[in-house]
Amino acid sequence: MQQQVLADTVRVAVHSSDELTRAGLVSYLRHDRRLSLTETAREADVTVVAAEVANASTLGLLHRLAEDSGAEPDTMNFVVVVGRRWEADVSAAVDRGMRAVLSRGSFTAAEFAQTLVAVAHGGGSLPVPLQGALMEQIRVIQREVLAPRGLSASGVNAREVDVLRLLAEGWELADIADKLGFSERTIKYVLYGLMKRLDLRNRAHAVSYAIRAGLI
């Protein structure tokens, strides 16, 4: 039983320029047998970063910690503990490995532990205001960057969606071509390009992908 507990332990590194804050966070770790303290992000499953104000400097710190660990930023698991307020670009923070944000002083030891375990297993947690900010950034990118180029956040363009929708409805390629005003050769090219780009095996796989992704 003891070996199983050790095998499932989440290794946590804590980074803070304020020693009192670091000591408090470390003390929380010692209340939960699922967690163990490690000294560097290189050895950690999750790295906790404490900042009084989360801003551009915090993003730079996340990047440096990822570099020091020898990992790509998007493979990191950072939990950011904020003292006063959040001023950083939310999507940029996610790109740099941020997976959860906690407000210092408003969470319990149990909530802290649960967040660390969830992040270590692929989860995440953002306060409602930051979720809203992230959604707004996604909407702006879709409206101002992707849509004018006929693209979507899924990487599938409008023509490809039309072809996939008609395929899902059981139409033959010749009929799809006639309905959309293209040659059958063009429709085949559209499908080939989509399947190659997304590593889809065949047309059925492409339709299945489109359904799962909510495209059709």
Side-chain angles (χ1 to χ4, degrees), residues 4-27:
Q4 182 63 38
V5 171
L6 291 174
D8 291 342
T9 297
V10 175
R11 298 166 299 173
V12 182
V14 178
H15 182 93
S16 175
S17 58
D18 179 68
E19 285 302 318
L20 186 59
T21 297
R22 186 180 188 281
L25 294 172
V26 168
S27 71

Side-chain angles (χ1 to χ4, degrees), residues 11 51 62 66 72 85 89 105 135 139 153 170 176 178 183 211:
R11 298 166 299 173
L62 298 184
E72 292 297 323
R85 62 185 181 276
D89 182 296
M135 290 302 296
R139 282 194 291 268
I176 293 174
D178 184 62
S183 68
I211 293 171

Side-chain angles (χ1 to χ4, degrees), residues 73-88:
D74 61 1
T75 66
M76 297 296 292
N77 290 322
F78 289 117
V79 173
V80 179
V81 177
V82 183
R84 285 189 290 160
R85 62 185 181 276
W86 183 278
E87 297 179 350

Side-chain angles (χ1 to χ4, degrees), residues 159 174 176-184 186-187:
R159 181 188 297 180
I176 293 174
D178 184 62
K179 185 173 181 63
L180 297 180
F182 300 109
S183 68
E184 185 175 351
T186 296
I187 298 302

Side-chain angles (χ1 to χ4, degrees), residues 45-98:
D45 300 308
V46 182
T47 299
V48 179
V49 175
E52 188 64 16
V53 177
N55 51 27
S57 295
T58 309
L59 298 184
L61 174 59
L62 298 184
H63 182 72
R64 290 194 299 275
L65 289 173
E67 281 191 332
D68 290 346
S69 70
E72 292 297 323
D74 61 1
T75 66
M76 297 296 292
N77 290 322
F78 289 117
V79 173
V80 179
V81 177
V82 183
R84 285 189 290 160
R85 62 185 181 276
W86 183 278
E87 297 179 350
D89 182 296
V90 183
S91 62
V94 172
D95 285 342
R96 285 163 176 76
M98 181 195 75

Side-chain angles (χ1 to χ4, degrees), residues 113-128:
Q114 186 57 43
T115 298
L116 296 175
V117 171
V119 168
H121 290 87
S125 175
L126 295 179
V128 172

